[in-house]
Amino acid sequence: MSEVKLHGQCYDNSLDPEIRVIAMLELGSPLEMIQLLQTPWEERFKICLSLVKLLFYLAHSPLGSIALLDFQPRQFVMVDGNLKVTDMDDASIEERLCREDNDCTLDFPAKSFILNCTTAGKCEDLNEKKNLFNAYRYFFTYLLPHTAPTALRPFLGDILNTTGDLRYGINETLGAFEKVLHLYKLGLYLQKRHHLLKEYITLKGFRTMEVQDYKCWLSYSHLGCVLSIHNTEDAAAMCNSQPQCQSFIVMQERTWTGRQLASFRSSLTDLIPDVNSAVYIKRSATSRERL
């Protein structure tokens, strides 16, 4: 569900007539774009996907196509990592009547579109397209391309181009998002690796002590470098790309896509038995320690 839940409401006859009804809503965190840009790309993609699913529902609702009239980031909150709309009061199912296509102009501050006037005398998909372009200009342009996996950028670029020009409707947009999700979850976007794990010593059934280590951009942890990985070969490639990295630990925690988290380390610390973990240490690091 992409709307904030109403848990209940109370009526207090002793209060002012205008505030006698008090609603108790699901608690959410305000949407902060600057803060979101500092989160992993996978989490930002989830926000955009949940928004697209909401717009799909609004376009095909039992009441008809619904337009969000005050489409601003402040109308949304984050609840358990999911995007939810807080205020459906500023929504409309009214469909603009027309005699010709010019009656179906959709105006935005920097762009205008002329939609089709149907034989029924209504502007075709106007509410749907209005929601979609607002999603493009307020969310997609900021959250989708920033630090996205290189191989997925052409697919994300297609989404930005087709929604920015309104060549896609919500059905096609949802399909494009689900394609990107499919590629990402299965690791089909990754280049073939040349057995990078051969450069590492594997210690299964162990983990290292949790100490503060070097930090990396878009980490899942503020104490060190924790990133999501498709598999251990992917983690080895990440470690090789970071000059500080000498080892990594594959953790049991998973992201919403099912990917595991890995903690990348710059130094070796004491090993602790843990049947659910595994430590991967660069052979070059162990050679230096012996020296």
Side-chain angles (χ1 to χ4, degrees), residues 229 232 235 248-252 260-263 276-280:
I229 60 170
T232 50
F248 62 89
I249 302 98
V250 177
M251 307 159 67
Q252 287 303 299
Q260 285 184 287
L261 294 179
S263 177
N276 295 317
S277 298
V279 180
Y280 296 81

Side-chain angles (χ1 to χ4, degrees), residues 130-231:
K130 184 176 183 178
N131 287 340
L132 190 55
F133 189 79
N134 278 326
Y136 159 79
R137 69 185 182 125
Y138 286 121
F139 289 88
F140 299 167
T141 55
Y142 298 105
L143 301 182
L144 277 184
H146 181 57
T147 67
T150 303
L152 292 180
R153 289 176 187 174
F155 300 98
L156 299 174
D158 287 343
I159 291 175
L160 290 172
N161 290 333
T162 51
T163 55
D165 294 335
L166 289 186
R167 284 182 278 129
Y168 271 5
I170 191 60
N171 293 356
E172 297 86 355
T173 301
L174 179 57
F177 268 85
E178 289 179 337
K179 178 180 179 180
V180 172
L181 179 61
H182 176 74
L183 293 173
Y184 186 71
K185 289 177 71 173
L186 296 183
L188 300 178
Y189 67 97
L190 293 170
Q191 296 179 349
K192 290 185 178 180
R193 313 292 188 186
H194 296 290
H195 306 295
L196 298 178
L197 281 179
K198 289 184 177 180
E199 303 172 15
Y200 290 79
I201 297 172
T202 305
L203 299 176
K204 294 185 177 180
F206 290 93
R207 62 179 173 85
T208 57
M209 292 183 62
E210 293 185 10
V211 295
Q212 188 165 338
D213 208 310
Y214 78 93
K215 298 178 177 61
C216 61
W217 183 238
L218 305 180
S219 172
Y220 278 84
S221 171
H222 66 281
L223 294 176
C225 183
V226 177
L227 302 172
S228 78
I229 60 170
H230 174 64
N231 54 28

